[in-house]
Amino acid sequence: ARVERSKWIHCFEDVTGMIFVAAISEYDQVLFENERINRMNEALNLFSEVANSRWFINKSVIVFLNKSDLFREKIKRVKFSECPVFGTYDGPDPPGDDFDGAVDYLRKLFRSKVHGDKGLYIHVTCATDTGNIQFVFQDTKDIIDKGCIN
């Protein structure tokens, strides 16, 4: 829960990096515990809070923009640009024909939340697509290698 974060954030003191997963297909949904807060906006705020916390100042981060298969189908029905979180999105409306443009916009949003110079790897993923594992493995290996060098 949101109020519990301060109780566990210190557990990350000696980590090499962070993996953050955001369900991009939930861009039009609200939180279960607070129906006034958009899930993607909450994911962006949580990402910013954690990635910029003192525990992750010089740590690499891998972001999984997950559920791309559901996102690809949903943006054909639910306008991406109508969600308040995406007020600056200037792609086609509806963006159903521009999956890549919408994903690039989400990448920029996540990148904009990181302060400082840290390794940031962003992957668009689908949990059922095993082909992504090779890319994920390479980024994870890079983070571990950088941690060993430092």
Side-chain angles (χ1 to χ4, degrees):
R2 299 171 82 205
V3 297
E4 300 290 320
R5 290 180 194 157
S6 62
K7 294 181 182 177
W8 52 258
I9 192 70
H10 70 279
C11 295
F12 297 106
E13 186 171 8
D14 294 321
V15 298
T16 303
M18 173 178 73
I19 295 175
F20 188 89
V21 181
I24 60 175
S25 63
E26 296 178 356
Y27 66 92
D28 66 326
Q29 297 175 11
V30 294
L31 296 180
F32 176 75
E33 62 268 24
N34 186 337
E35 294 181 0
R36 293 184 310 239
I37 299 176
N38 174 281
R39 288 186 183 185
M40 184 58 67
N41 196 42
E42 178 69 4
L44 286 161
N45 289 336
L46 175 60
F47 175 72
S48 179
E49 180 183 331
V50 175
N52 296 307
S53 72
R54 66 185 176 113
W55 310 108
F56 291 101
I57 287 176
N58 296 313
K59 309 296 181 182
S60 295
V61 177
I62 299 175
V63 175
F64 294 144
L65 301 178
N66 198 34
K67 298 190 177 183
S68 62
D69 55 333
L70 300 176
F71 179 73
R72 184 182 300 275
E73 293 303 313
K74 186 181 237 182
I75 62 173
K76 293 176 184 175
R77 302 183 321 276
V78 180
K79 289 184 178 183
F80 186 72
S81 59
E82 286 186 1
C83 294
V85 177
F86 310 116
T88 59
Y89 177 74
D90 60 358
D93 193 16
D97 294 332
D98 190 27
F99 170 84
D100 293 330
V103 166
D104 285 345
Y105 178 77
L106 290 171
R107 286 179 195 266
K108 288 176 188 171
L109 282 177
F110 275 90
R111 281 194 181 98
S112 74
K113 297 294 182 180
V114 175
H115 305 145
D117 185 27
K118 67 171 70 201
L120 179 62
Y121 304 83
I122 301 176
H123 291 286
V124 178
T125 59
C126 171
T128 58
D129 180 3
T130 56
N132 281 332
I133 298 301
Q134 290 178 342
F135 295 112
V136 172
F137 179 76
Q138 185 59 48
D139 281 353
T140 305
K141 183 180 174 302
D142 288 349
I143 288 172
I144 292 168
D145 289 347
K146 286 178 186 175
C148 290
I149 292 170
N150 296 334

